[in-house]
Amino acid sequence: MLRFTTAGESHGPSLVAILEGMPAGVPLLAATVDAQLHRRQQGYGRGRRMQIERDAVSFTGGVRAGETTGAPIAMLVQNRDWKNWEDVMDPAPRADDAEAGRRRVLTRVRPGHADLTGLLKYDRTDARDILERASARETTMRVACGAVARAMLAEFGVSIGSHLVHLGGIDAAPPAAWPADLAAAADASPVRTLDADAEARMIAAIDAAKREGNTLGGVCEVVATGLPVGLGSHVSWDRKLDGRIGQAMLSIPAVKGVEIGLGFAAARVPGSAVHDAMHPDPGAPRTGGVRRESNRAGGLEGGITTGEPLVVRVAMKPIATLMRPLATVDVATGAAADAAAERSDVTAVPAMGVIAEAMLALVLAQAWLEKFGGDSLDEVRRNHDAYLSHVAGRVGA
Ligand code: EPS
């Protein structure tokens, strides 16, 4: 079972993750992880924090001489901003704890953030205890774990990319075809869109939102190619791959919607305009010797991969920290107040695409190891190759 957990606060000393269940023998360099961490730090509309951080991973377990050993993979990323927050975030009690200003206590809870719900649930008086962990800074370690999952999947020719298709009311024109390296093509744009015309309008919209003290949401499309038919299962609710992808995506901070294939649009048209007609295609083992006329299903039927590209769209609401704040309640006094305005981003939708890629990589690597599981990469490869050659002879054989 592939599983991971993360820990660490946005302005604490460091972020950590443990990824358990990776087979031995997966080639893995810190630079491979760092390349993904760097991608997550980009995107027009980020705040000053991203100029402070230079996220770089240290392996502290599970990797030796450039390969995984099969042991839990332990990873650490330092927060460079920690040096500015040591007094505020010190794990030890301090004599000046009572000085609210010095401790950056937050009580004017932000609508749309975890500030109030978390503070009440965990019975804290300072929402900083909540927001430091609710911060999307945590996604750094998801991207680190996702980079390891991608490294394993890449051994089998699976590749994952994303691009931004909507930002703050502006649609990008859908590309005629996805570029061969979708991730790299999108990374060339400051908002990670493939539509140069929309890019200019999106940048102008981000500038306008910043002037107005506002924030913007958007939608990214995530695509995985090179998958075989047969990951996931139809037999139980919690093994259906679409459900697992939905959960993974909705766990990303501020993500409010997920679509697979046609998604919501499938509800508005008849079945003949939704389902993908099939034709014999004996030379295509990944799709079970079948070719589909279209891929409206987005690469999943019955909770199982079809072998067509897996297509997921992920919608993010605007960030909750507004420089021109909404009305709220000060939980220290009970009085009406303006919400706190902390340093933040105008938009992080371009980065969300990179995070969604990582989450998809983790779900797919988990399903991959369930299907082809082994303790070494070679064992996984033998299981995978034997399955594909079996499937190649199935339809019409
Ligand atoms: C975040 C607020 C900003 C973002 C941060 C998420 O940080 P700060 O409060 O330090 O200005 O930059 O995102 C990251 C640090 C990151 O690495 O993505 C928030 O409140 O969620």
Side-chain angles (χ1 to χ4, degrees):
M1 168 83 165
L2 186 71
R3 53 187 183 151
F4 75 98
T5 192
T6 74
E9 278 70 41
S10 180
H11 304 102
S14 53
L15 304 166
V16 296
I18 293 180
L19 175 66
E20 193 185 349
M22 248 317 131
V26 177
L28 187 61
L29 302 174
T32 308
V33 177
D34 291 351
Q36 295 298 328
L37 297 181
H38 177 73
R39 294 181 65 221
R40 196 200 66 92
Q41 287 202 267
Q42 307 309 302
Y44 196 81
R46 303 299 305 266
R48 285 193 313 281
R49 177 73 186 275
M50 285 304 100
Q51 289 153 26
I52 299 173
E53 302 300 340
R54 310 243 191 299
D55 294 341
V57 77
S58 304
F59 294 125
T60 59
V63 187
R64 183 163 172 255
E67 283 191 356
T68 59
T69 64
I73 298 168
M75 294 183 278
L76 184 140
V77 171
Q78 305 279 359
N79 284 325
R80 285 167 60 117
D81 209 12
W82 160 247
K83 64 178 187 310
N84 305 317
W85 289 78
E86 277 186 50
D87 51 347
V88 180
M89 295 301 293
D90 192 344
R94 296 175 68 115
D96 51 20
D97 270 358
E99 291 174 42
R102 185 171 173 84
R103 297 288 291 175
R104 306 265 319 242
V105 169
L106 192 147
T107 57
R108 291 177 292 121
V109 291
R110 292 162 294 174
H113 214 286
D115 295 350
L116 179 63
T117 50
L119 176 142
L120 294 174
K121 176 173 168 63
Y122 286 86
D123 200 17
R124 312 306 295 167
T125 52
D126 179 2
R128 183 155 303 284
D129 287 349
I130 308 304
L131 71 93
E132 285 286 340
R133 181 64 187 158
S135 164
R137 177 89 186 128
E138 181 266 339
T139 61
T140 307
M141 300 320 289
R142 301 199 202 191
V143 171
C145 292
V148 182
R150 294 170 91 114
M152 188 204 67
L153 293 168
E155 290 293 313
F156 299 92
V158 176
S159 108
I160 301 174
S162 68
H163 63 119
L164 183 147
V165 296
H166 183 95
L167 190 105
I170 300 163
D171 282 315
W178 293 303
D181 187 343
L182 175 59
D187 288 351
S189 158
V191 287
R192 305 198 66 253
T193 185
L194 303 176
D195 177 347
D197 178 58
E199 174 188 295
R201 285 180 286 128
M202 288 168 179
I203 288 172
I206 294 168
D207 290 342
K210 183 170 187 175
R211 281 194 300 276
E212 292 157 11
N214 222 330
T215 56
L216 296 176
V219 181
C220 292
E221 182 170 75
V222 193
V223 182
T225 56
L227 298 167
V229 59
L231 303 182
S233 176
H234 64 289
V235 298
S236 292
W237 70 271
D238 54 351
R239 294 180 58 193
K240 286 178 174 273
L241 202 63
D242 9 23
R244 290 160 65 176
I245 291 167
Q247 203 266 324
M249 296 305 172
L250 288 164
S251 76
I252 299 170
V255 165
K256 292 289 135 192
V258 181
E259 292 185 310
I260 293 175
L262 278 189
F264 271 48
R268 299 175 187 279
V269 288
S272 56
V274 170
H275 304 296
D276 306 304
M278 299 181 191
H279 302 282
D281 191 9
R286 270 188 211 287
T287 51
V290 162
R291 179 180 63 79
R292 286 171 179 76
E293 271 178 25
S294 47
N295 183 26
R296 296 161 178 153
L300 283 167
E301 285 178 345
I304 305 175
T305 53
T306 60
E308 300 287 344
L310 187 57
V311 186
V312 185
R313 275 183 305 282
V314 185
M316 182 184 194
K317 71 179 181 179
I319 284 167
T321 307
L322 304 183
M323 292 305 147
R324 189 177 291 174
L326 295 175
T328 191
V329 176
D330 188 329
V331 292
T333 62
D338 282 342
E342 292 232 326
R343 176 185 68 185
S344 190
D345 309 320
V346 177
T347 189
V349 184
M352 181 274 281
V354 178
I355 299 157
E357 290 176 30
M359 293 307 289
L360 187 60
L362 284 157
V363 172
L364 290 174
Q366 193 182 53
W368 194 279
L369 293 172
E370 284 163 17
K371 178 78 182 130
F372 309 122
D375 297 310
S376 69
L377 184 63
D378 282 349
E379 189 176 6
V380 177
R381 200 184 298 284
R382 285 195 296 275
N383 294 339
H384 168 265
D385 293 352
Y387 168 78
L388 267 197
S389 61
H390 175 71
V391 165
R394 278 282 284 105
V395 175

